[in-house]
Amino acid sequence: MTKRRFGKRSCFVFMMAVAFAAPSAGAQQADPKPGKPINAGDVLSGELNAMKGGKKSKRAATYQITSEPRRLPPPNGLCNLETGPETFQLVTSSDAQAAQLKNFIGKEISVKVDEVACAQDAGQMSEAVITKWSVVTKH
């Protein structure tokens, strides 16, 4: 049996034929579109999850809403993401707020957003943080 060697030119022609015959993966997918904006006073809906975390000296209840992508008001915009944040950490300011959210873990919830910003602190597990909010629906 003899070995057949291909020259550089025939390898180049073969690679070009394969490149033009197979459409690129990027051409098949549409570019992601930024989510609709969310401003103070708007309602954010999604599934509520409990998260482990908080300061070691004081265990703070930490919750997260997973939603469709949303754009934040300037200067935050898309939080360095293509479509905007999809995960929003709810910061509780009292034991009453934490107790209120505890009943909604794993369920769909809607909250009125009063203050929202991109996550900036190391260790934050959400893409955006809602510091002032109120529950608007009960399930």
Side-chain angles (χ1 to χ4, degrees), residues 31-35 78 80-84:
D31 290 332
K33 301 225 186 289
L78 299 175
N80 296 323
L81 302 166
E82 289 183 44
T83 59

Side-chain angles (χ1 to χ4, degrees), residues 40-53:
D42 288 350
V43 173
L44 177 71
S45 297
E47 183 178 342
L48 183 69
N49 298 303
M51 300 170 51
K52 291 184 180 181

Side-chain angles (χ1 to χ4, degrees), residues 51-62 92 95 98:
M51 300 170 51
K52 291 184 180 181
K55 299 176 185 172
K56 290 185 180 187
S57 61
K58 180 185 175 189
R59 291 275 175 176
T62 307
T92 56
D95 290 338

Side-chain angles (χ1 to χ4, degrees), residues 52-72:
K52 291 184 180 181
K55 299 176 185 172
K56 290 185 180 187
S57 61
K58 180 185 175 189
R59 291 275 175 176
T62 307
Y63 299 93
Q64 179 186 67
I65 291 181
T66 304
S67 174
E68 64 181 330
R70 302 294 294 263
R71 283 192 324 258
L72 276 57

